């Protein structure tokens, strides 16, 4: 027992990973792990699993809020730009209409909103999920390639305050996984 | 209370409301026949639109096969089956053609703008077209309902493929017939005016109100069997996204029409908007921009609203109401071009036609199980969307 603890702690670990053959046990395991207090955990599946994001404690997505603000900024900017051009910078009467002919500004306003919102969505998504990422420790596990085929993985990361190499391994093993593997950093 | 008892209760209320509305409308008819017809047309277009919208969503659901459609399919089928009955209710409009439509009046031939259109806008052809629209819609409503009922008994999956094969071309036929129907029934009230986007704009609005009604009903019934066993938050999320999409599409089409006509500023096109932005009507237009688009748009952007049945229900009730305002704003300025004029007969006819439509709808709804139980797709929840 004592030696086991020492050996495990001597090897630097990224985390422990359990593999499952079906999505349902993974979902149950993720719920258990979250209720046990683990927070630094991630699940890897070959297809979307209903409720999994919820189970690992994913609550809300900050990207959507950034996108909303960017959309508002884009709309205000687009409208402001059109207003500045037509009313302040180049005040020309066209077709007898008032200078501030706002219906004509709407398409540009809409396009600027979409432009800024889309850029923010793509760049914000990449910035916040850490992609592109040329190296990730989970690929050190040999069988992990099956995450894109027919296996479901749950990884509890060593950075979790509740993580303990021995206790976490024992916890994962009682969840009835196919296998529990150490993930080298 | 079981859902069937609840539906029976609503059917009875609808029937009572309908009878009260009919009595009031009759009084209105005796006092002023012209005003009665003007109000009746508005109420008729709004409530028939519910049935037309239901048929459209039903065809769409069978074509694309989304799991959101399974939980509201029986509502849609019941709504579509009201159409043959609504064909009977069009008779007052057909009898009053010369009162409602300028092109049907004896002096129409003197107007050069109308004279050039008489090959299309004449009474016999108008009646023939209306009969044809209802015949086509009734055939589709019947074919799809019948196969759906058969599937309840046999569980034969070939019927699902059969319904899809019917619906894909049916969607094309449906959009064309509905476009022509709204051009005939509403656009031709101002026969000198035309807009090519009009049919789709009207149709999208009616699909939106049918979505609002069926989703509201689903939200109310969601805690009863058999819905409680199958409904997930994701079902409401998908349906909420559809309401959102059709709200935006309505705004997009309405604004496109406005922008093009405003930019062109042509004497034969712009009066349509001058009437609808005049005293009183302009305030209604602002109300529509705010509550038919801006408010539901901002609220439905939020994921939590779409996933919670009680919140989505409130938005759907709002949409059911603002759709009525929109139809009013599209129809009535043809009769009251200089300023808005809301009459009590407007409410009486809405009550009359609405009571009839709803009692037909609930009656039809109660004749079948509330969910297509033998459809295996019902067991699987729709795929989760994480972000949107």
């Amino acid at each position: 027992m004592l030696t086991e603890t020492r050996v495990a702690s001597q090897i630097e670990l990224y985390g422990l990973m359990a593999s499952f053959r079906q999505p349902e046990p993974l979902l149950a395991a993720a719920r258990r792990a979250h209720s046990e207090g683990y927070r630094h955990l991630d699940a890897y599946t070959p297809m979307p699993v209903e409720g999994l994001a919820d189970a690992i404690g994913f609550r809300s997505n900050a990207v959507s809020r950034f996108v909303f603000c960017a959309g508002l900024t884009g709309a205000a900017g687009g409208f402001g730009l059109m207003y500045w051009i037509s009313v302040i910078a180049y005040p020309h009467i066209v077709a007898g209409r008032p200078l501030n002919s706002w219906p004509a500004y709407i398409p540009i306003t809409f396009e600027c909103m979409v432009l800024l919102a889309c850029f923010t969505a793509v760049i914000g998504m990449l910035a916040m999920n850490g992609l592109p990422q040329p190296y990730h420790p989970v690929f050190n596990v040999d069988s992990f390639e099956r995450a894109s085929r027919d296996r479901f993985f749950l990884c509890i990361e060593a950075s979790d305050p509740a993580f303990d190499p021995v206790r976490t391994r024992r916890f994962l093993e009682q969840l009835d996984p196919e296998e529990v593997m150490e993930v080298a950093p | 209370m079981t859902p069937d008892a609840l539906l029976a209760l609503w059917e009875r209320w609808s029937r009572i409301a309908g009878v009260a509305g009919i009595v009031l409308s009759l009084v209105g008819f005796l006092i002023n026949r012209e005003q009665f017809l003007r109000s009746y047309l508005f109420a008729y277009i709004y409530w028939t639109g519910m049935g037309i919208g239901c048929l459209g969503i039903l065809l769409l659901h069978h074509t694309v096969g989304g799991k959101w459609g399974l939980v509201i399919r029986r509502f849609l089928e019941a709504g579509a089956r009201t159409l043959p009955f609504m064909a009977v209710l069009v008779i007052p409009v057909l009898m009053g053609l010369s009162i409602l439509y300028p092109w049907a009046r004896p002096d129409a031939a003197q107007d050069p703008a109308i004279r050039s259109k008489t090959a299309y806008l004449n009474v016999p052809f108008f009646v023939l077209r209306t009969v044809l629209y209802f015949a086509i819609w009734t055939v589709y409503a019947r074919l799809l309902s019948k196969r759906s009922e058969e599937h309840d008994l046999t569980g034969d999956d070939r019927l699902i493929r059969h319904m899809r094969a019917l619906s894909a071309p049916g969607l094309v036929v449906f959009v064309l017939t509905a476009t022509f129907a709204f051009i005939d029934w509403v656009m031709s009230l101002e026969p000198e005016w035309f807009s090519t986007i009009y049919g789709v704009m009207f149709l999208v609005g009616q699909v939106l109100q049918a979505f609002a009604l069926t989703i509201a009903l689903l939200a109310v019934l969601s805690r009863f069997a058999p819905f409680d066993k199958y409904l997930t938050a994701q079902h409401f999320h998908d349906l909420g996204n559809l309401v959102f999409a059709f709200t935006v599409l309505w705004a997009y089409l309405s604004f496109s029409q406005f922008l093009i006509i405003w930019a062109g500023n042509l004497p034969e096109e712009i009066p349509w908007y001058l009437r609808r932005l005049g005293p009183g009507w302009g305030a209604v237009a602002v109300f529509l921009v705010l509550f038919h688009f801006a408010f539901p748009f901002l609220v439905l952007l939020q994921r939590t609203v779409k996933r919670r049945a009680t919140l989505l229900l409130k938005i759907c009730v709002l949409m059911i109401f603002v759709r009525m305002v929109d139809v009013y704003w599209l129809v009535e300025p043809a009769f009251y071009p200089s300023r808005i004029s809301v009459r009590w007969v407007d409410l009486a006819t809405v009550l009359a036609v609405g009571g009839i439509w709803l009692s037909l709808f609930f009656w039809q709804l109660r004749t079948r199980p509330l969910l297509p139980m033998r459809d295996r797709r019902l067991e699987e929840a729709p795929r989760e969307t994480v972000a949107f």
Side-chain angles (χ1 to χ4, degrees):
Chain A
M1 182 65 206
L2 195 72
T3 50
E4 193 189 333
T5 311
R6 197 179 299 135
V7 170
S9 63
Q10 272 166 0
I11 310 164
E12 282 286 311
L13 269 186
Y14 171 75
L16 286 168
M17 185 183 263
S19 70
F20 301 88
R21 287 173 162 273
Q22 297 291 329
E24 292 81 15
L26 169 70
L27 195 59
R31 287 205 181 107
R32 280 281 308 277
H34 194 262
S35 66
E36 288 282 316
Y38 292 107
R39 290 297 176 267
H40 294 201
L41 70 169
D42 218 336
Y44 305 88
T45 60
M47 78 233 194
V49 175
E50 164 85 24
L52 188 56
D54 235 20
I56 61 168
F58 179 87
R59 283 294 168 265
S60 80
N61 195 336
V63 173
S64 61
R65 257 164 276 151
F66 287 146
V67 171
F68 180 75
C69 294
L72 277 187
T73 312
F79 195 92
L81 174 74
M82 291 300 289
Y83 184 86
W84 179 77
I85 291 172
S86 334
V87 179
I88 299 165
Y90 304 96
H92 290 292
I93 302 283
V94 179
R97 289 181 217 283
L99 289 175
N100 180 22
S101 289
W102 62 266
Y105 305 169
I106 298 294
I108 302 293
T109 305
F110 174 75
E111 299 296 349
C112 287
M113 177 189 79
V114 172
L115 182 75
L116 243 68
C118 287
F119 270 124
T120 309
V122 174
I123 296 169
M125 178 269 289
L126 291 176
M128 294 188 64
N129 65 11
L131 287 175
Q133 195 168 19
Y135 176 80
H136 196 289
V138 288
F139 289 96
N140 291 334
V141 175
D142 283 337
S143 60
F144 186 71
E145 55 170 347
R146 300 185 78 170
S148 56
R149 261 185 295 146
D150 57 356
R151 284 297 183 278
F152 301 80
F153 294 91
L154 180 71
C155 181
I156 299 183
E157 288 152 28
S159 59
D160 195 301
F163 185 87
D164 177 273
V166 177
R167 263 187 291 128
T168 304
R169 172 179 275 276
R170 214 173 295 138
F171 166 72
L172 283 174
E173 271 162 359
Q174 76 190 9
L175 296 173
D176 200 23
E178 190 182 39
E179 206 182 339
V180 175
M181 296 147 288
E182 290 181 346
V183 186
Chain B
M1 195 177 249
T2 65
D4 192 58
L6 205 60
L7 291 174
L9 187 70
W10 290 340
E11 190 192 334
R12 201 160 59 238
W13 285 351
S14 310
R15 215 178 302 138
I16 293 166
V19 169
I22 290 168
V23 171
L24 287 171
S25 302
L26 274 177
V27 173
F29 176 78
L30 293 174
I31 294 172
N32 186 341
R33 228 172 60 174
E34 196 174 356
Q35 179 56 47
F36 165 79
L37 281 168
R38 290 170 173 182
S39 304
Y40 183 82
L41 182 70
F42 147 67
Y44 179 78
I45 297 291
Y46 177 75
W47 286 107
T48 309
M50 286 286 188
I52 296 172
C54 282
L55 179 60
I57 302 169
L58 186 63
L59 290 163
L60 185 69
H61 160 63
H62 281 309
T63 306
V64 300
K67 296 195 181 88
W68 52 267
L70 290 169
V71 289
I72 56 169
R73 187 159 99 199
R74 286 295 139 90
F75 305 160
L76 299 173
E77 285 166 2
R81 285 200 303 272
T82 60
L83 286 169
F85 301 98
M86 296 315 276
V88 178
L89 290 186
V90 83
I91 287 169
V93 176
L94 296 182
M95 307 251 284
L97 280 184
S98 62
I99 294 173
L100 288 169
Y101 297 90
W103 52 262
R105 281 173 206 145
D107 59 350
Q110 267 122 56
D111 189 335
I114 300 176
R115 200 163 45 211
S116 58
K117 298 180 183 177
T118 43
Y120 184 81
L121 289 179
N122 59 70
V123 174
F125 194 25
F126 183 95
V127 175
L128 179 76
R129 283 198 305 268
T130 298
V131 171
L132 199 69
Y133 303 146
F134 276 110
I136 292 171
W137 296 335
T138 304
V139 166
Y140 273 108
R142 272 201 61 81
L143 284 177
L144 291 175
S145 288
K146 230 177 130 73
R147 275 170 184 71
S148 184
E149 191 184 18
E150 233 175 279
H151 189 264
D152 268 1
L153 298 173
T154 62
D156 185 354
D157 281 351
R158 271 176 310 178
L159 287 163
I160 294 176
R161 284 201 296 279
H162 209 143
M163 288 191 278
R164 183 181 306 150
L166 268 173
S167 295
L171 211 48
V172 177
V173 176
F174 169 77
V175 172
L176 281 174
T177 46
T179 300
F180 276 98
F182 295 126
I183 288 174
D184 285 359
W185 297 342
V186 192
M187 196 163 113
S188 81
L189 287 170
E190 289 146 294
E192 72 292 342
W193 183 79
F194 52 86
S195 160
T196 45
I197 221 167
Y198 189 83
V200 178
M201 180 187 80
F202 219 111
L203 178 60
V204 163
Q206 313 252 275
V207 167
L208 176 59
Q209 74 191 44
F211 261 126
L213 182 80
T214 48
I215 296 169
L217 199 58
L218 185 72
V220 174
L221 293 176
S222 60
R223 54 206 167 83
F224 296 106
F227 293 101
D228 54 351
K229 214 161 74 201
Y230 296 100
L231 276 180
T232 63
Q234 190 58 42
H235 280 112
F236 283 105
H237 195 157
D238 286 357
L239 290 165
N241 277 338
L242 279 161
V243 174
F244 177 77
F246 274 88
T247 306
V248 175
L249 187 55
W250 172 88
Y252 170 77
L253 294 170
S254 304
F255 182 76
S256 301
Q257 178 181 286
F258 172 72
L259 183 66
I260 290 164
I261 290 178
W262 172 85
N265 205 16
L266 298 173
E268 68 267 29
E269 287 180 351
I270 201 74
W272 194 86
Y273 274 109
L274 290 180
R275 287 193 278 274
R276 279 161 183 78
L277 296 172
W281 291 121
V284 178
V286 172
F287 173 85
L288 287 174
V289 171
L290 290 179
F291 290 97
H292 200 315
F293 171 63
F295 179 72
F297 174 81
L298 287 174
V299 172
L300 286 173
L301 273 179
Q302 297 161 56
R303 182 179 142 86
T304 40
V305 175
K306 288 176 283 193
R307 291 183 79 87
R308 218 170 293 157
T310 46
L311 294 176
L312 195 57
L313 171 67
K314 284 179 191 153
I315 284 290
C316 286
V317 170
L318 172 75
M319 296 321 286
I320 290 169
F321 172 70
V322 290
R323 280 303 307 148
M324 195 181 289
V325 178
D326 185 44
V327 173
Y328 194 76
W329 183 78
L330 288 168
V331 173
E332 293 297 313
F335 307 121
Y336 299 101
S338 52
R339 63 168 35 256
I340 193 168
S341 165
V342 183
R343 308 294 172 97
W344 65 269
V345 195
D346 292 335
L347 300 175
T349 50
V350 165
L351 199 64
V353 186
I356 296 171
W357 191 85
L358 284 171
S359 60
L360 288 169
F361 173 71
F362 288 127
W363 166 51
Q364 286 295 328
L365 192 55
R366 288 174 58 216
T367 58
R368 310 270 163 93
L370 289 170
L371 279 174
M373 291 300 206
R374 300 289 280 272
D375 201 318
R376 275 193 301 267
R377 293 171 293 176
L378 196 61
E379 297 288 339
E380 314 150 29
R383 180 177 282 189
E384 184 173 22
T385 42
V386 174
F388 188 49

